[in-house]
Amino acid sequence: MSARHDPAPPPARARDAHKASVGRVLVVGGSPGMAGAPFLAAWGALRAGAGLVRVATPATVAPIVAGYAPEVMVLSLPVLGEGGLDPSARTPLLEACMASDAVVMGPGAGRHEATRGVLLEVARHGEVALVLDADALFGAVARVRRQRGSDAPVVLTPHEGEAARLLDVQPEAVRADRLESARRLAQQAQATVVLKGPGTVVVPAPAQGGEAWTCTHGGPVLATGGTGDVLAGVLGALLAAGPDNPFLAACRAVAWHARAGDLLAREQGVDRGLVAHEVADALPRALAAWRA
């Protein structure tokens, strides 16, 4: 795609597509009080067409996640007494990664030191496309692309506050020049960057080259908790479906998610009051309108 134009919508599927051929997504996240975040990412992935979606989450919240929707599979991970992931969680997580085509890491994961250690270890050794969102944007996990032995793509999806922390600047500095901030972060992380917010900016990884793209869709109806989790899931689904490059997949995910918000705003005549799972549920209708 040209960075000056919106991406084309995802192409039509082959008639012989089946659930294993259209993309398997693993969402790693959740913690006490934050069970909804990984579910919303998983629901976004399913609504964006992923064939199989699993949530790997601490045993303390796994029953809650499992109760949200029967279509989402749940992997229960061992936890320490104080609530973080037990180091032994690395083995089942790596096995789940190997059985997936893309991993969305971070929604609701929390900032427990033991959990961050497990996420970093899995991110280093996983060999599938990786979306780093929310709590996976803390510490060394956000710079894992430099440590991976795999060429599989890594995409970061920070909002302005998370980008400011990664760049060691104030949020106002990011807001003052969103494009340059996203470029700096892509260089630092050696990864594709989706800087969320009004006029979401997508910057390709330095190794890929090319121009940045800015989304002109979306609006205040998306200003509610959980919509970023849905976006991470949509991106995971598009990366899992392949063979698109990560920059194109990121642009498509952002455009699709924003168009779903626009569609809801038009249908209901509002600029507020909608919730994240409604955005996910609008994705199929938004795709139909996009293609038309």
Side-chain angles (χ1 to χ4, degrees), residues 221-248:
V221 75
L222 295 174
T224 184
T227 56
D229 301 314
V230 172
L231 173 59
V234 176
L235 177 52
L238 291 178
L239 287 171
D244 293 333
N245 65 53
F247 175 67
L248 177 55

Side-chain angles (χ1 to χ4, degrees), residues 69-100:
E71 297 91 343
V72 176
M73 298 177 288
V74 177
L75 172 62
S76 179
L77 300 174
V79 295
L80 299 170
E82 64 270 25
L85 287 179
D86 189 285
S88 65
R90 288 177 293 188
T91 298
L93 264 180
L94 281 169
E95 291 174 351
C97 285
M98 292 173 61
S100 305

Side-chain angles (χ1 to χ4, degrees), residues 54-289:
R54 175 182 288 189
V55 173
T57 194
T60 46
V61 298
I64 302 172
V65 177
Y68 283 132
E71 297 91 343
V72 176
M73 298 177 288
V74 177
L75 172 62
S76 179
L77 300 174
V79 295
L80 299 170
E82 64 270 25
L85 287 179
D86 189 285
S88 65
R90 288 177 293 188
T91 298
L93 264 180
L94 281 169
E95 291 174 351
C97 285
M98 292 173 61
S100 305
D101 300 303
V103 176
V104 178
M105 183 176 287
R111 302 173 190 176
H112 193 286
E113 184 177 350
T115 297
R116 290 215 308 263
V118 171
L119 296 185
L120 177 58
E121 190 71 14
V122 172
R124 276 178 180 156
H125 293 99
E127 297 184 356
V128 298
L130 180 63
V131 178
L132 297 177
D133 184 58
D135 293 323
L137 294 170
F138 281 78
V141 183
R143 297 187 295 277
V144 74
R145 182 67 189 87
R146 297 176 180 273
Q147 306 169 39
R148 285 187 124 195
S150 166
D151 290 331
V154 176
V155 184
L156 277 60
T157 60
H159 55 56
E160 288 178 354
E162 291 162 340
R165 185 172 53 251
L166 289 168
L167 293 170
D168 195 24
V169 299
Q170 293 300 311
E172 292 76 15
V174 174
R175 194 170 304 121
D177 195 339
R178 291 171 50 79
L179 177 56
E180 180 58 26
S181 297
R183 284 175 171 155
R184 286 182 55 206
L185 187 53
Q187 184 64 44
Q188 173 182 299
Q190 290 295 297
T192 301
V193 169
V194 175
L195 179 55
K196 298 181 292 190
T200 293
V201 177
V202 185
V203 175
Q208 185 177 359
E211 302 176 49
W213 174 75
T214 300
C215 182
T216 57
H217 300 280
V221 75
L222 295 174
T224 184
T227 56
D229 301 314
V230 172
L231 173 59
V234 176
L235 177 52
L238 291 178
L239 287 171
D244 293 333
N245 65 53
F247 175 67
L248 177 55
C251 292
R252 278 178 169 161
V254 169
W256 192 358
H257 178 264
R259 285 168 180 268
D262 288 346
L263 178 69
L264 289 171
R266 288 195 303 272
E267 287 178 345
Q268 302 193 29
V270 298
D271 62 0
R272 69 197 73 188
L274 300 175
V275 291
H277 76 81
E278 293 178 293
V279 178
D281 289 338
L283 288 166
R285 302 200 310 280
L287 178 58

Side-chain angles (χ1 to χ4, degrees), residues 9-76:
R13 278 183 178 165
R15 294 290 296 173
D16 61 351
H18 55 85
K19 63 187 178 183
S21 71
V22 298
R24 302 163 297 175
V25 176
L26 174 68
V27 178
V28 184
S31 57
M34 294 293 288
F39 168 74
L40 287 168
W43 199 240
L46 280 171
R47 283 303 203 175
L52 293 166
V53 180
R54 175 182 288 189
V55 173
T57 194
T60 46
V61 298
I64 302 172
V65 177
Y68 283 132
E71 297 91 343
V72 176
M73 298 177 288
V74 177
L75 172 62
S76 179

